[in-house]
Amino acid sequence: MSTSSSPSPAPLEDANQATRNITRLSVGVAVLLIVLKAFALGASGSVSILASLTDSALDLAGSLTAFFAVRWAAAPPDQEHRYGHGKGEALSALVQAGLVFASAVFIGWEAIQRIFDPRPVTSGGWAVGVVVIGIGITTWLVWMQTRALKKTGSLAVAGDRAHYAEDLAANVVVLIGVISGAFLNAPGLDAAAGLVVAVWLFWGATGMLRSAADHLLDRALPESELAALTQAVLADPRISGVHRLRAHMAGQVMVVQMHVDLDAALTLDAAHAIVVEAETRVRTLFPAADILIHADPRGSTPKLAQPATDQRLAAPSAPAPSEAGVAPEAAPGAKAKGPWS
């Protein structure tokens, strides 16, 4: 017997509204920064400002990607996408990582050219003022995005925040470069600062790419969360074991599948009631969970090879495998076995 439930709508709706609001704000900030930095570039000719302007232009592209991605990801499941559209956020993060890589290559190339052919930085006061204003605006946006992430866990917003968090450090380097080129008569330092920004962006894009790939490839949840799922289900003594536990994130929805061991003498109605109660306990911990639980008669679990992670999730009192890589059959009162046993 199996039973499935849809994720709780209220927490998801709140999270979706928060992601829509923060991505709208991100687009507005990106446009404002581009206007300010374009003015500063025209006044100063600084390669550091050029690097920062290029990064902000790609930030706008990334923010627009996140803007549309979170709205598409929030669409409910349909006939073609039965698990919903949550992975649209991971695709957005993947696009953003590609944009940052492109930004890093462009800025690095321009900086290397300026190192060998330095150009003076003019109107340093205007350039410094714009960079300081940009740092203040970006700091505020990152703070707002961090608040939204605590509520939503959105991968698209996380990728967008990574852009702007890196911008904060990059803008400090830009500020040093502009001051060096305008007031210390050292344009080579300005170009070197642009090169540092390029390396910083490249490194940040690598982390974004890794996170997006993990999401698209259905990386398993951390063991701490798998253990919390198992403990919530086993809180009912009528459930003697959990196996074949699979859980991953699809956007902001946690998709959970598992088998549980129940007394074979239970009626269908009684077994169904136990499973529903288990789902409720899981959803108390993870409100936006989409859960599928299959009930097995106790002692009927087939012997299957299992990965080492199952052993780590097994309760301390679980019986040891009778032979390498083989899970023993569940006995009455046995504790949870690993997710794939």
Side-chain angles (χ1 to χ4, degrees), residues 154-235:
S154 167
L155 192 61
V157 174
D160 209 28
R161 186 186 66 162
H163 278 168
Y164 291 101
E166 290 154 11
D167 280 354
L168 282 178
N171 283 335
V172 172
V173 177
V174 168
L175 186 61
I176 295 172
V178 172
I179 292 174
S180 300
F183 302 112
L184 302 181
N185 195 28
L189 290 179
D190 173 57
L195 186 60
V196 171
V197 172
V199 174
W200 185 276
L201 290 174
F202 192 89
W203 178 259
T206 302
M208 293 169 56
L209 182 63
R210 187 183 303 115
S211 296
D214 284 346
H215 203 86
L216 290 171
L217 295 174
D218 292 333
R219 183 182 179 89
L221 294 180
E223 287 190 21
S224 59
E225 295 188 7
L226 293 176
L229 285 168
T230 302
Q231 291 171 7
V233 173
L234 291 176

Side-chain angles (χ1 to χ4, degrees), residues 99-111 198 201-202:
L99 291 172
V100 176
F101 275 125
S103 175
V105 170
F106 172 78
I107 294 170
W109 175 253
E110 185 68 20
L201 290 174
F202 192 89

Side-chain angles (χ1 to χ4, degrees), residues 5-20 70 73-77 83-86 89 151-154 249-255 283 286-290:
S5 304
S6 300
S8 179
L12 272 182
E13 181 55 36
D14 290 344
N16 290 335
Q17 184 61 48
T19 55
R20 288 193 290 268
V70 298
Y83 287 94
H85 302 76
E89 292 196 8
K151 186 174 183 178
T152 67
S154 167
M249 296 302 298
Q252 299 173 35
V253 177
M254 177 187 291
V255 179
R283 197 168 287 114
F286 306 100
D290 187 348

